[in-house]
């Protein structure tokens, strides 16, 4: 009997705790799915599900039943031993409680725990309708559906949600229906209300997915507004301690505390399609932070020199480098061929030209209108498809990027 491979068991939808994948690949795939469906000129709906104590709800007996015939019996027996007969106690101020038994749950903090959880929940993809596109990162799940008629789309979403929740409850997961979020995309979408197991859930202007705010127009205004509130507070704190830091220390603090937040998953949202006003907000936060490093409180240094003195790329080039690094990472791991194909040649429709990465231009009335600028731009101009060298590294890309930027300026 031929057993399924490990990747087949996990499913292509799962991005959590897997080599070559991350929250960014999950978000990029989610956004690209929405954009691709918008390009077909249909209404699109996306929803997210929130699970309570997800890792603690895994049932060992159910896990064995689900994996029987899919994992060798001897290995399944070892995994069963790992999950069963676990005990715990609580210690406070040197006093210990009685030892209790745990009849469910996946050990957290272990290497094996997340893998078992992914295997356990991987069955969900086969329980929802085939036309629903599922994207997951660990216990965070996002589903995208499309239909030309909004009423039909709403009914389809309700049915998919019910099937999704039932499948999770069958394996012991607990869903917070109250925290379910839905958003409609398309031409002037009207708000709708879905009945989720007796709970009324209204569509929103935006939903939060893995730290990114996705609004119904894919303008990213909501995300940048939320970013600004957080970054401004951090900048205020850094300003207080700046005089006690050297320049190098200040750059380290800024990179860790501000840029890690400001540019998180930037290759998903910081694209040429972003509104100019929104882009200016990002640029303002970027250079305000770096001027603090240089103690240039009166803006006497040009932005170009600020970038040179701090050795930090401006926002547009930062995004290109992040995308190039992500692309090379996916390609080298050979884990996500569909994403690599999309990033490299943009096979969305016959209207698209190779080298142009898809982005939804919210400033236009047409759904999914191609952005006229090459999103990858100079970031991948040094590479020629197909790539045969599997040893491409971020350092090699960094060198190539520096050359391509200097050549273009």
């Amino acid at each position: 009997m031929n057993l399924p491979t490990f990747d087949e068991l996990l499913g292509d939808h799962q991005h959590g705790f897997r080599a070559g994948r991350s929250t960014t690949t999950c978000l990029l795939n989610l956004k690209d799915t929405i954009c691709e469906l918008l390009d077909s000129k249909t209404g699109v709906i996306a929803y997210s599900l929130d699970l309570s104590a997800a890792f603690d709800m895994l049932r060992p007996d159910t896990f064995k039943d689900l994996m029987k015939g899919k994992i060798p019996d001897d290995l399944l027996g070892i995994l069963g031993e790992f999950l069963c007969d676990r005990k715990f106690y609580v210690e406070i101020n040197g006093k210990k409680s009685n030892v209790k038994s745990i009849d469910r749950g996946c050990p957290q903090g272990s290497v094996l725990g997340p893998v078992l959880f992914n295997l356990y929940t991987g069955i969900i993809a086969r329980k929802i309708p085939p036309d629903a596109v599922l994207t997951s990162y660990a216990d965070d799940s996002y589903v995208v559906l499309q239909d030309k008629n909004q009423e039909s789309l709403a009914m389809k979403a309700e049915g998919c949600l019910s099937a999704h929740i039932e499948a999770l409850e069958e394996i012991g997961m607990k869903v917070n229906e109250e925290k379910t979020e839905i958003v409609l995309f398309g031409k002037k979408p009207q708000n709708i209300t879905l009945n989720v197991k007796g709970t009324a859930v209204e569509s929103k202007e935006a939903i939060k997915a893995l730290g990114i705010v996705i609004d119904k127009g894919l303008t990213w205004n909501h995300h940048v507004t939320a970013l600004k509130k957080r970054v401004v507070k951090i900048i205020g704190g850094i300003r207080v301690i700046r005089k006690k830091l050297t320049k190098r220390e200040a750059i380290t603090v800024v990179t860790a505390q501000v840029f890690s937040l400001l540019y998180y998953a930037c290759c998903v949202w910081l694209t040429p399609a972003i509104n100019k006003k929104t882009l200016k907000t990002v640029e303002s936060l970027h250079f305000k932070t770096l001027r603090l490093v240089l103690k240039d409180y009166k803006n006497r240094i040009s932005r170009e020199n600020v970038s040179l003195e701090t050795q930090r790329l401006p926002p547009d080039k930062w995004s290109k480098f992040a995308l190039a690094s992500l692309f090379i990472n996916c390609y080298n791991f050979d884990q996500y061929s569909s994403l690599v194909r999309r990033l490299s040649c943009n096979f969305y429709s016959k209207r698209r030209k190779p080298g142009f990465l898809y982005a939804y231009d919210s400033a236009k009335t047409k759904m999914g209108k191609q952005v006229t600028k090459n999103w990858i731009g100079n970031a991948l101009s040094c590479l020629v498809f197909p790539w045969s060298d599997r040893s491409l590294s971020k350092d090699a890309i960094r060198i190539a990027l520096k050359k391509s930027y200097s050549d273009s300026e």
Side-chain angles (χ1 to χ4, degrees), residues 95-116:
K95 295 183 179 181
K96 298 180 181 179
S97 69
N98 295 329
V99 177
K100 302 288 185 179
S101 297
I102 304 176
D103 62 351
R104 63 183 61 188
C106 183
Q108 298 187 47
S110 64
V111 175
L112 184 58
V115 176
L116 298 183

Side-chain angles (χ1 to χ4, degrees), residues 13 47-49 51 121 124-125 127-129 132-136 139-144 157-171 173 175 197:
H13 66 92
Y47 70 77
S48 64
L49 285 182
L51 299 180
T121 56
I124 303 302
K127 296 287 186 176
I128 62 176
V133 183
L134 172 66
T135 305
S136 303
D139 58 329
D140 293 303
S141 298
Y142 309 94
V143 173
V144 182
E158 272 192 3
C160 185
L161 260 168
S162 297
H164 196 164
I165 293 173
E166 286 175 7
L168 286 167
E169 290 178 342
E170 282 179 8
I171 60 174
M173 294 289 123
V175 179
K197 296 182 73 67

Side-chain angles (χ1 to χ4, degrees), residues 250-265:
I251 288 178
T252 300
V253 170
V254 162
T255 302
Q257 299 298 323
V258 179
F259 285 178
S260 62
L261 181 66
L262 184 62
Y263 292 112
Y264 166 65

Side-chain angles (χ1 to χ4, degrees), residues 71-290:
I71 293 179
D73 291 341
D74 53 350
L75 176 58
L76 188 57
I78 294 173
L79 295 178
E81 292 292 330
F82 178 73
L83 293 171
C84 295
D85 299 324
R86 296 170 51 236
K87 301 182 184 299
F88 77 99
Y89 68 89
V90 177
E91 182 175 349
I92 300 177
N93 295 329
K95 295 183 179 181
K96 298 180 181 179
S97 69
N98 295 329
V99 177
K100 302 288 185 179
S101 297
I102 304 176
D103 62 351
R104 63 183 61 188
C106 183
Q108 298 187 47
S110 64
V111 175
L112 184 58
V115 176
L116 298 183
F117 179 82
N118 284 348
L119 290 173
Y120 188 68
T121 56
I123 192 174
I124 303 302
R126 299 189 289 274
K127 296 287 186 176
I128 62 176
D131 59 341
V133 183
L134 172 66
T135 305
S136 303
Y137 186 88
D139 58 329
D140 293 303
S141 298
Y142 309 94
V143 173
V144 182
L145 300 114
Q146 69 167 338
D147 199 289
K148 291 186 177 181
N149 183 281
Q150 184 163 305
E151 288 186 12
S152 300
L153 182 59
M155 292 178 61
K156 185 183 291 187
E158 272 192 3
C160 185
L161 260 168
S162 297
H164 196 164
I165 293 173
E166 286 175 7
L168 286 167
E169 290 178 342
E170 282 179 8
I171 60 174
M173 294 289 123
K174 172 62 178 174
V175 179
N176 290 324
E177 288 88 355
E178 297 82 3
K179 293 187 178 180
T180 299
E181 293 185 328
I182 59 174
V183 63
L184 272 169
F185 303 89
K187 260 188 179 180
K188 299 179 180 179
Q190 298 178 356
N191 292 334
I192 62 171
T193 301
L194 302 184
N195 187 335
V196 183
K197 296 182 73 67
T199 301
V201 180
E202 295 183 1
S203 60
K204 297 184 176 183
E205 293 290 310
I207 62 173
K208 191 170 183 179
L210 299 175
I212 296 294
V213 182
I214 305 176
D215 60 271
K216 64 182 182 181
L218 292 180
T219 63
W220 309 108
N221 294 340
H222 291 69
H223 177 64
V224 174
T225 299
L227 267 181
K228 183 179 178 180
K229 290 181 180 179
R230 297 177 65 186
V231 170
V232 167
K233 290 181 180 179
I234 297 173
I235 291 176
I238 296 176
R239 185 182 294 274
V240 174
I241 64 172
R242 174 62 188 96
K243 60 184 178 181
K244 297 182 179 180
L245 302 174
T246 65
K247 178 182 174 182
R248 174 174 286 186
E249 290 171 341
I251 288 178
T252 300
V253 170
V254 162
T255 302
Q257 299 298 323
V258 179
F259 285 178
S260 62
L261 181 66
L262 184 62
Y263 292 112
Y264 166 65
C266 62
C267 54
V268 177
W269 57 271
L270 189 55
T271 74
I274 198 169
N275 183 279
K276 289 184 178 179
K277 184 178 179 180
T278 305
L279 177 60
K280 284 184 178 179
T281 301
V282 177
E283 291 175 339
S284 176
L285 293 171
H286 173 96
F287 286 104
K288 184 177 181 179
T289 305
L290 292 182

